[in-house]
Amino acid sequence: MHILLIYDISEDKIRNKVAEACKDFGLKRIQWSAFLGQLNHNRREELMMRISKLLGDNEGNIRLYPICSKDIKLVHEINRV
Amino acid sequence: MHILLIYDISEDKIRNKVAEACKDFGLKRIQWSAFLGQLNHNRREELMMRISKLLGDNEGNIRLYPICSKDIKLVHEINRV
């Protein structure tokens, strides 16, 4: 299943570690604090447990949205570089 | 339908205007650059047209993900304040 993972993490070091964890799980960075990829249920749980440990007691909000293949095709993007 | 709108916009003034546009469309800010809410197809198109105008030729990436009611329940969140 597709997943979209977004985060607000104030501590730079932790934010970088969370980004590395997302890459380790094969996710692709689509925005500064957003990763997209495909993970099954177990791998989603595993990733969130790893992120939870990385965050510890520090401030942060992390959200992982599973998105089905029908909905992922409806994404609307504006991209100007 | 639920929608998740995320953005990377470097220009502060434009980023703030895009955030205001999201609030005007009844979306709720869930992270610094992420809004969540419910919009039908026409309203999604309208919002993205407004954002496109606000962005003009400036650099930015905006993504609007429709998420069905089944998937929205599967969101996994870590929130530490």
Side-chain angles (χ1 to χ4, degrees):
Chain A
M1 195 168 193
H2 292 269
I3 67 118
L4 176 65
L5 188 140
I6 59 173
Y7 52 77
D8 262 3
I9 300 168
S10 31
E11 183 75 45
D12 288 347
K13 248 173 71 179
I14 295 172
R15 194 174 52 241
N16 294 335
K17 284 182 182 169
V18 167
E20 286 312 311
C22 290
K23 286 177 206 163
D24 288 349
F25 277 67
L27 305 185
K28 188 183 148 219
R29 181 173 237 158
I30 55 166
Q31 288 182 4
W32 183 244
S33 305
F35 282 81
L36 190 68
Q38 295 199 47
L39 295 180
N40 63 29
H41 180 267
N42 291 349
R43 289 289 279 168
R44 293 199 298 263
E45 295 294 311
E46 227 181 289
L47 175 56
M48 291 301 269
M49 266 196 292
R50 181 158 157 195
I51 290 174
S52 185
K53 270 188 211 143
L54 288 170
L55 191 62
D57 297 332
N58 296 278
E59 201 183 296
N61 180 272
I62 298 99
R63 289 170 179 240
L64 185 152
Y65 288 92
I67 303 177
C68 65
S69 42
K70 187 174 74 54
D71 288 348
I72 203 78
K73 291 184 194 110
L74 301 176
V75 62
H76 188 141
E77 181 179 9
I78 299 168
N79 191 44
R80 300 213 178 112
V81 286
Chain B
M1 195 168 196
H2 292 269
I3 67 118
L4 176 65
L5 188 141
I6 59 173
Y7 52 76
D8 262 5
I9 298 169
S10 31
E11 184 76 43
D12 288 347
K13 244 170 70 181
I14 295 173
R15 193 174 52 243
N16 294 336
K17 283 182 184 169
V18 167
E20 286 312 310
C22 290
K23 286 177 208 163
D24 288 350
F25 277 68
L27 305 184
K28 188 184 146 218
R29 181 173 238 158
I30 56 166
Q31 289 182 3
W32 183 244
S33 305
F35 282 80
L36 191 68
Q38 297 200 45
L39 296 180
N40 63 30
H41 180 265
N42 291 348
R43 290 287 280 165
R44 294 199 297 264
E45 296 293 312
E46 226 181 294
L47 174 56
M48 290 302 268
M49 266 195 290
R50 181 158 157 192
I51 290 174
S52 185
K53 271 189 209 141
L54 288 170
L55 191 61
D57 299 331
N58 296 276
E59 202 183 299
N61 181 272
I62 298 97
R63 290 170 177 238
L64 184 152
Y65 288 92
I67 303 178
C68 65
S69 43
K70 187 175 73 56
D71 287 348
I72 203 79
K73 290 184 195 111
L74 301 175
V75 63
H76 187 141
E77 181 180 8
I78 299 169
N79 190 44
R80 299 214 178 113
V81 286

